[in-house]
Amino acid sequence: MVSINLGVLHYFLDHMYGAFVHRTKLSTPFFSKGWGGSKLDLLESLVKQLFPVSEVQNLPPIMVQPIWKMVWETKNACLREGIFRTPCEERLISALPPESYNARVAFLAPKLVPPQKMACVVHLAGTGDHTFERRLRLGGPLLKQNIATMVLESPFYGLRRPRLQHGAKLLCVSDLLLLGRVTIEESRGLLHWLEEEAGFGKTGICGVHAAMVGSLHPRPIATLPFLAPHSAVVAFCEGVLKYATAWEALREDAEEETGMTLEQAKQRLRSVLSLTDVTRFPVPKNPKAVIFVAATDDGYIPKHSVLELQKAWPGSEVRWVTGGHISSFILHNDAFRKAIVDALGRLQWRVS
């Protein structure tokens, strides 16, 4: 009875937070500027070009070459920050705001161990995670196990946030698809750099977009989607974020051309966001090195969404932490770290 009551409390807290932040006028909603016009058409076509799924794991590698500066170093570890031009094709770059052209990364690594005997995990941002600090705190204790942490600042976040955007509230639907596609391309470039340039013996990816990146990578890597849906549909059309969506702005933007009703606007958003459905992507090279960490009472990401992706990727594992979406980010860092260690342990060391 106690555990049930606690679960209800966590779920209630997610919805209370969502109601306060998203239903009041204190916060600008997502997609307040509408669909994104021709940018949305471009992004839809580019996503569809990733298929058939039999070919996407054979995409050519993406090359990045970060320019590094030392932030601090001790006898055993160092923290560097790097910057590189986003490696995306020109059509994507032209759709990005200028603030997002350059990617920023933080790189926390041991100093006394050769790279071929270390692992490194690229940590991707969750919604609203604008800085490096939280993810560096998550990865810091892993240094003792010779696991380095690389943190990518997402496009549209942090110093890459467009001037007119408030917080994490993307202005257009096209921005959401663009954020995802650019994050995938930049992550692919960083993984290639870690493997080929830095020479790390094992690599991994964690965060909201981790499943897509792990699916597309041509080699086995640890893939750790943390509190992540199988599709943006469940986040924006079913979970708490549906209260943060500017439905009327979407209806009005489309009405000028099609006379769309509010219900039709909702169906149109579901259709667009279905392009992010990771169950359509190929199974990663080593599905046993895929560990989903999900919350038992998540008001943002329903249980069925996590289980759908696990079903699509036989051999993958789901681990449940007790709590809601927000409380889990605060209370369960040890569970996230253990998942990282265990997923990397299921990989073979690369032979250079």
Side-chain angles (χ1 to χ4, degrees):
M1 180 64 71
V2 173
S3 62
I4 294 175
N5 288 340
L6 284 175
V8 171
L9 176 60
H10 287 300
Y11 188 80
F12 179 72
L13 286 174
D14 277 353
H15 279 267
M16 281 294 292
Y17 177 83
F20 177 74
V21 173
H22 304 315
R23 289 181 174 182
T24 66
K25 301 299 182 181
L26 299 177
S27 176
T28 304
F30 282 94
F31 317 137
S32 59
K33 299 299 182 183
W35 298 95
S38 60
K39 290 184 180 181
L40 182 57
D41 297 334
L42 169 65
L43 268 296
E44 286 184 286
S45 67
L46 288 176
V47 171
K48 291 173 182 176
Q49 287 174 18
L50 285 175
F51 299 91
V53 296
S54 59
E55 300 175 4
V56 297
Q57 285 179 332
N58 297 319
L59 293 171
I62 289 179
M63 313 296 288
V64 300
Q65 190 62 52
I67 299 172
W68 299 102
K69 70 173 183 179
M70 187 68 69
V71 178
W72 56 256
E73 61 180 323
T74 66
K75 181 177 71 174
N76 298 316
C78 65
L79 175 65
R80 291 182 285 168
E81 290 186 2
I83 187 169
F84 60 93
R85 178 80 168 182
T86 187
C88 298
E89 62 175 283
E90 282 302 317
R91 287 183 296 174
L92 284 174
I93 292 176
S94 66
L96 278 172
E99 296 90 342
S100 291
Y101 288 172
N102 291 322
R104 296 174 63 241
V105 289
F107 187 23
L108 179 64
K111 286 176 61 179
L112 303 179
V113 183
Q116 63 268 26
K117 295 185 178 180
M118 284 196 295
C120 184
V121 174
V122 178
H123 291 238
L124 304 179
T127 301
D129 191 358
H130 287 271
T131 65
F132 297 143
E133 281 72 20
R134 188 189 68 81
R135 286 170 283 166
L136 287 174
R137 288 197 302 271
L138 176 62
L142 298 176
L143 290 172
K144 296 178 181 178
Q145 300 184 62
N146 295 330
I147 299 172
T149 292
M150 180 172 279
V151 179
L152 174 64
E153 181 182 65
S154 295
F156 296 92
Y157 278 20
L159 295 181
R160 306 180 73 185
R161 185 178 65 189
R163 182 173 54 85
L164 297 178
Q165 179 182 306
H166 297 285
K169 301 299 178 62
L170 303 175
L171 296 174
C172 299
V173 174
S174 59
D175 292 345
L176 183 65
L177 295 184
L178 189 57
L179 185 158
R181 180 61 183 265
V182 173
T183 297
I184 290 169
E185 301 294 87
E186 292 173 356
S187 300
R188 290 180 61 220
L190 290 172
L191 287 167
H192 182 78
W193 183 88
L194 287 167
E195 293 168 353
E196 301 302 327
E197 299 293 327
F200 276 85
K202 296 181 181 182
T203 56
I205 187 87
C206 69
V208 170
H209 293 96
M212 289 185 177
V213 178
S215 169
L216 297 176
H217 200 65
R219 295 192 180 107
I221 62 172
T223 302
L224 298 130
F226 290 160
L227 307 180
H230 80 286
S231 165
V233 171
V234 297
F236 286 91
C237 301
E238 299 177 18
V240 171
L241 289 182
K242 67 185 178 184
Y243 304 124
T245 300
W247 296 109
E248 188 60 27
L250 294 177
R251 184 195 67 77
E252 291 175 357
D253 189 35
E255 186 181 29
E256 297 178 4
E257 298 181 7
T258 64
M260 185 177 285
T261 66
L262 186 58
E263 186 57 36
Q264 288 170 331
K266 292 180 179 180
Q267 291 303 316
R268 168 65 173 146
L269 186 64
R270 293 185 74 95
S271 176
V272 170
L273 297 187
S274 69
L275 295 172
T276 68
D277 186 344
V278 193
T279 63
R280 302 168 62 233
F281 283 58
V283 178
K285 292 292 187 179
N286 183 353
K288 291 184 178 179
V290 178
I291 299 178
F292 304 95
V293 181
T296 55
D297 301 282
D298 195 324
Y300 288 74
I301 311 300
K303 287 183 179 180
H304 75 80
S305 180
V306 180
L307 296 175
E308 282 185 40
L309 189 49
Q310 183 201 24
K311 182 179 179 181
W313 290 356
S316 62
E317 178 186 354
V318 176
R319 295 184 180 179
W320 299 99
V321 294
T322 302
H325 194 81
I326 295 168
S327 62
S328 294
F329 274 119
I330 300 170
L331 300 175
H332 294 298
N333 280 341
D334 286 344
F336 297 141
R337 292 187 192 104
K338 188 174 190 309
I340 289 172
V341 172
D342 291 348
L344 288 169
R346 298 171 186 179
L347 297 174
Q348 299 288 330
W349 288 99
R350 292 181 63 230
V351 179
S352 53

